[in-house]
Amino acid sequence: MGTVQIRNARKSYGSVEVLHGVSIDIEEGEFVALVGPSGCGKSTLLRMIAGLEEITSGHILIGDRIVNDVAPKDRDIAMVFQNYALYPHKNVRDNMGFALRQRRVSRDEINVRVTEAARILGLEELLDRKPRALSGGQRQRVAMGRAIVRDPNVFLFDEPLSNLDAKLRVQMRSEIKELHQRLKTTTIYVTHDQIEAMTLADRVVVMNSGVIEQAGPPLELYDNPATLFVAAFIGSPPMNFFEGDLVGGTGLVMGDGTRLALPEADPKGRQRATVGVRAEHFDLAEKGWPATVSVVEPTGSETLVMARLAGDVVRVLIRGRTAVQPGETIHLRPQRGSLHFFDAAPVPEVAQMEDVA
Amino acid sequence: MSQARKRRPIGQTLRIVGGVMVSIIFLFPVYWMVLTSFKQQVDIFTSPPTFWFEPTIAAYAEYMTRADILPRLINTVVVATLSALFSIIVGTMAGYALARIQIRGAATFGALILLSRGVPPIALAVPMFLVARNLGLTDQHITLILAYSTFLVPYVMWLMRSFFLSLPRELEESAMIDGCSRYGAFFKIILPISLPGLLSTLIFSMILAWEELLFALVLTNRNASTIPVAIAGIAGDTVNGANWAALTAVGTITVVPVVIFALLVQKWLIKGLADGATKG
Ligand SMILES: Nc1ncnc2c1ncn2[C@@H]1O[C@H](COP(=O)(O)OP(=O)(O)O)[C@@H](O)[C@H]1O
Ligand SMILES: [Mg+2]
């Protein structure tokens, strides 16, 4: 049974707690991405599921068995590491067959399963090569092959695409998705790249500093970020934020006195708020928030306009093309129902990986 | 690379000339020793020294058959091999533990063991002699083997520890997920990858034991005595004066295996690098 339940799991290294009570229920066949900035504890959590790190407190269940004290080899999981960890002295065939050999599967059976996995991943020609004679992308495939021949209950991936160049990363991303649709094995996938998480997963778990900020389907996180952190982390180009006092319901007065008219009031009636607007939720209008265009980046299907408003950069995504020129003043009108209100706070610095997509 | 070479041919040449000169300076005494060992007494003392003479193996014939050389040679082989083997087994496992297993105080423990190497051997030789005598173990092979292990085990441990640290730990973790215990991961994955480094360390340990003089001098006198002791004896013969033919012949016999070992090490090291053993 490929369900995974994490119940209030904590992890401390010495006196430093790095995971502060994390709970997730993962269903059979689900593809869950753990995403968050570097150092937030994603790998630690994944390694606890794998049995490579002790669970300081709380429980982890795979199927209906508590695995806190079960050795990695007895958890029926397979893991793909960022550096692939291929056995350098074994050829591709033996790398892929190693786990089956450990389980005393017959030679014929191993052969059949390795050949099948190699066919799925396009590795047939490379079976007799040593890892050092493979390119980065090929090594990545072998690492995947080593996981799928096992036919485990759960796949664990720790940043498996981070060592590839951008183009290959996008290609392998699709292949991983396709593979999951075909095998339907429960998958937990760690990445710091929110686009990777959004495009791959059925459900995205956003982590920050050892806690879960929000978990849900990708578009739900995009449309309804529960916290300022999630709002800032998910989405590319990133959401625009404006911090200030809310006056008279629909007025936002910012630090320098600039007053912005909002199309709707904060449902929670805060005094001060940080208001978020996604780049594609602005209309260019006759009247609106005045901003001075600094850069125009056309990509053909859409155009990204960067402008300055009250000293801040605002990103505006325009469908199709635009005649807007740098230096020009434009008027931005946020669409009704597109505003995100949060308690006033500085916008978290989240290093986003710009992906080619 | 090749472009850089073309741009700086003078620097390249100077480096080669420099290398050759340094090699000559270091190798000449060895060459002279080997040459002398094949000379007759008259040729040894001609002045100026001669490179042309009628070679003889008289020194070898005489000293190999003399009772104290051959047994000592065998002793040296036995003691060097066994102490190196023992140390490689103990030191490798200790090095692995220090590199990988997180135990409270492991770092301190490792540093202490390293520190023990800072003690001058002479400070250990005499107490060791007293211990050996009280145990009735003076002049035994086992005594020398244990004495050598006191410096070989830390040596192996530190070399192998840093080697293991250079391997990504995901290798063992992968193996452990694939169905191995930690021991299985060590023996099936880590050990085969480490083989070139392990063999080199083994050879270096044998060389260290092979040429050790102080402990051998203090802890043995006849039964377990080694070749370095014999050389010291010949060189320090104040009654008859040093017998040069004998000295250089025994010296050559001592050096040849070391040279062969060193060449083997080089071959393995290069093979190890070519295997990309430390890269995933
Ligand atoms: N072995 C360890 N000892 C001490 N601290 C660790 C150890 N491993 C990870 N950490 C700390 O735990 C936190 C989470 O690390 P990690 O799970 O690797 O983050 P992520 O994978 O999200 O980048 C980091 O602050 C890291 O420094
Ligand atoms: Mg990580």
Side-chain angles (χ1 to χ4, degrees):
Chain A
M1 272 266 291
T3 62
V4 178
Q5 294 169 58
I6 300 158
R7 295 192 184 150
N8 199 22
R10 290 172 186 271
K11 175 70 187 179
S12 303
Y13 289 108
S15 59
V16 184
E17 191 175 84
V18 299
L19 279 184
H20 313 293
V22 168
S23 302
I24 315 173
D25 268 4
I26 296 166
E27 283 166 33
E28 168 95 57
E30 203 178 4
F31 194 124
V32 169
L34 301 180
V35 68
S38 171
C40 71
K42 313 177 291 286
S43 296
T44 303
L45 181 57
L46 195 73
R47 292 167 56 82
M48 283 157 74
I49 299 170
L52 300 172
E53 298 282 352
E54 296 266 338
I55 300 163
T56 307
S57 77
H59 296 284
I60 292 180
L61 288 84
I62 297 178
D64 41 22
R65 182 170 61 140
I66 293 178
V67 294
N68 286 39
D69 297 318
V70 176
K73 69 187 173 72
D74 300 322
R75 295 190 182 198
D76 199 12
I77 47 165
M79 184 156 171
V80 176
F81 294 90
Q82 180 173 354
N83 64 7
Y84 315 139
L86 302 181
Y87 310 128
H89 60 300
K90 294 181 182 295
N91 64 20
V92 170
R93 185 189 305 277
D94 292 341
N95 259 284
M96 301 211 317
F98 183 70
L100 298 176
R101 286 274 291 278
Q102 295 310 300
R103 284 171 168 69
R104 317 216 178 285
V105 175
S106 77
R107 238 160 236 284
D108 292 342
E109 169 85 13
I110 293 178
N111 209 7
V112 168
R113 282 164 73 172
V114 168
T115 311
E116 170 65 7
R119 193 185 58 75
I120 293 174
L121 291 162
L123 291 169
E124 292 113 316
E125 311 290 307
L126 307 175
L127 282 174
D128 294 316
R129 293 218 197 146
K130 293 272 179 69
R132 81 183 115 89
L134 302 176
S135 71
Q138 291 168 337
R139 286 180 200 185
Q140 211 284 332
R141 269 168 213 273
V142 175
M144 304 259 302
R146 201 166 60 173
I148 68 173
V149 288
R150 292 270 310 277
D151 189 19
N153 267 337
V154 183
F155 282 137
L156 305 176
F157 291 89
D158 193 354
E159 313 240 7
L161 304 183
S162 293
N163 286 0
L164 302 179
D165 63 44
K167 191 159 172 243
L168 206 51
R169 203 152 64 217
V170 172
Q171 183 194 334
M172 284 310 295
R173 196 168 79 195
S174 315
E175 288 194 25
I176 289 178
K177 187 154 189 170
E178 206 182 310
L179 204 61
H180 178 254
Q181 279 159 5
R182 170 186 197 143
L183 301 174
K184 298 192 173 58
T185 306
T186 310
T187 301
I188 306 176
Y189 187 105
V190 162
T191 176
H192 63 271
D193 179 349
Q194 52 101 12
I195 296 190
E196 218 169 272
M198 299 279 285
T199 50
L200 279 171
D202 300 320
R203 194 149 54 104
V204 175
V205 176
V206 181
M207 294 180 61
N208 182 29
S209 309
V211 298
I212 293 179
E213 291 270 338
Q214 191 177 1
L219 293 182
E220 189 183 308
L221 297 194
Y222 187 86
D223 293 338
N224 298 306
T227 64
L228 186 57
F229 181 86
V230 176
F233 190 76
I234 299 288
S236 173
M239 192 183 273
N240 300 294
F241 293 101
F242 308 90
E243 185 185 345
D245 293 319
L246 292 171
V247 269
T250 57
L252 181 75
V253 180
M254 300 209 289
D256 66 345
T258 308
R259 186 188 171 106
L260 302 177
L262 307 178
E264 65 216 11
D266 176 15
K268 288 196 180 155
R270 295 175 179 84
Q271 297 282 309
R272 273 184 72 73
T274 295
V275 178
V277 187
R278 292 219 180 266
E280 69 272 26
H281 290 154
F282 283 114
D283 291 325
L284 297 189
E286 290 296 305
K287 278 172 66 182
W289 304 355
T292 313
V293 176
S294 45
V295 180
V296 178
E297 295 180 351
T299 60
S301 62
E302 54 192 21
T303 308
L304 181 64
V305 175
M306 310 235 227
R308 298 197 80 81
L309 191 161
D312 290 331
V313 175
V314 184
R315 292 181 178 79
V316 181
L317 197 61
I318 297 168
R319 206 169 258 293
R321 298 157 197 215
T322 175
V324 164
Q325 294 292 324
E328 199 177 313
T329 298
I330 52 175
H331 295 273
L332 304 173
R333 203 162 63 196
Q335 292 163 8
R336 188 166 273 282
S338 70
L339 297 190
H340 302 274
F341 291 89
F342 303 100
D343 292 345
V347 178
E349 294 260 345
V350 285
Q352 290 207 345
M353 283 275 305
E354 290 292 334
D355 210 307
V356 298
Chain B
M1 187 70 177
S2 64
Q3 266 189 347
R5 237 176 243 165
K6 268 176 212 155
R7 234 185 296 133
R8 279 179 294 169
I10 297 174
Q12 191 75 19
T13 317
L14 279 180
R15 236 176 298 150
I16 292 172
V17 170
V20 169
M21 272 164 57
V22 169
S23 305
I24 289 174
I25 291 170
F26 275 100
L27 287 179
F28 185 78
V30 179
Y31 168 71
W32 195 247
M33 175 183 77
V34 176
L35 209 63
T36 305
S37 72
F38 289 106
K39 284 180 180 176
Q40 291 165 340
Q41 203 70 1
V42 285
D43 293 318
I44 293 177
F45 292 107
T46 30
S47 180
T50 176
F51 290 86
W52 303 110
F53 56 90
E54 206 172 308
T56 168
I57 56 161
Y60 289 91
E62 185 186 348
Y63 275 86
M64 288 317 290
T65 50
R66 271 173 59 169
D68 56 346
I69 293 302
L70 202 56
R72 279 172 162 171
L73 197 60
I74 294 170
N75 284 346
T76 313
V77 172
V78 168
V79 170
T81 309
L82 291 183
S83 61
L85 276 178
F86 173 77
S87 305
I88 207 91
I89 293 170
V90 175
T92 301
M93 302 218 277
Y96 182 76
L98 281 184
R100 282 294 198 264
I101 300 176
Q102 311 210 327
I103 323 163
R104 206 174 277 269
T108 321
F109 182 69
L112 272 178
I113 293 175
L114 189 66
L115 210 62
S116 74
R117 290 216 60 196
V119 179
I122 189 76
L124 297 173
V126 175
M128 267 186 205
F129 170 74
L130 295 176
V131 170
R133 212 183 54 169
N134 283 337
L135 293 173
L137 283 177
T138 43
D139 208 13
Q140 302 287 320
H141 293 93
I142 183 71
T143 316
L144 219 44
I145 290 170
L146 288 177
Y148 288 179
S149 300
T150 61
F151 61 85
L152 288 182
V153 169
Y155 174 78
V156 172
M157 193 185 80
W158 275 89
L159 275 185
M160 293 314 291
R161 187 191 85 107
S162 50
F163 180 79
F164 292 137
L165 282 176
S166 77
L167 297 177
R169 65 177 193 169
E170 285 87 352
L171 278 176
E172 291 113 296
E173 293 176 344
S174 217
M176 282 159 70
I177 288 175
D178 276 352
C180 294
S181 62
R182 183 169 275 285
Y183 288 101
F186 177 73
F187 285 110
K188 287 177 187 157
I189 303 296
I190 298 305
L191 219 49
I193 297 171
S194 313
L195 217 52
L198 212 61
L199 288 174
S200 311
T201 310
L202 178 73
I203 298 299
F204 279 128
S205 306
M206 284 182 73
I207 292 175
L208 282 181
W210 185 271
E211 61 189 19
E212 203 285 336
L213 173 62
L214 182 65
F215 287 165
L217 211 51
V218 174
L219 296 174
T220 67
N221 54 60
R222 194 158 188 93
N223 174 40
S225 174
T226 60
I227 280 284
V229 178
I231 293 179
I234 299 168
D237 188 340
T238 46
V239 182
N240 307 315
N243 180 338
W244 286 101
L247 195 58
T248 52
V250 178
T252 303
I253 291 170
T254 313
V255 161
V256 165
V258 174
V259 171
I260 293 174
F261 283 167
L263 289 177
L264 284 179
V265 168
Q266 216 177 18
K267 196 175 145 230
W268 277 322
L269 272 187
I270 287 166
K271 185 178 174 301
L273 291 179
D275 273 353
T278 58
K279 291 244 160 70

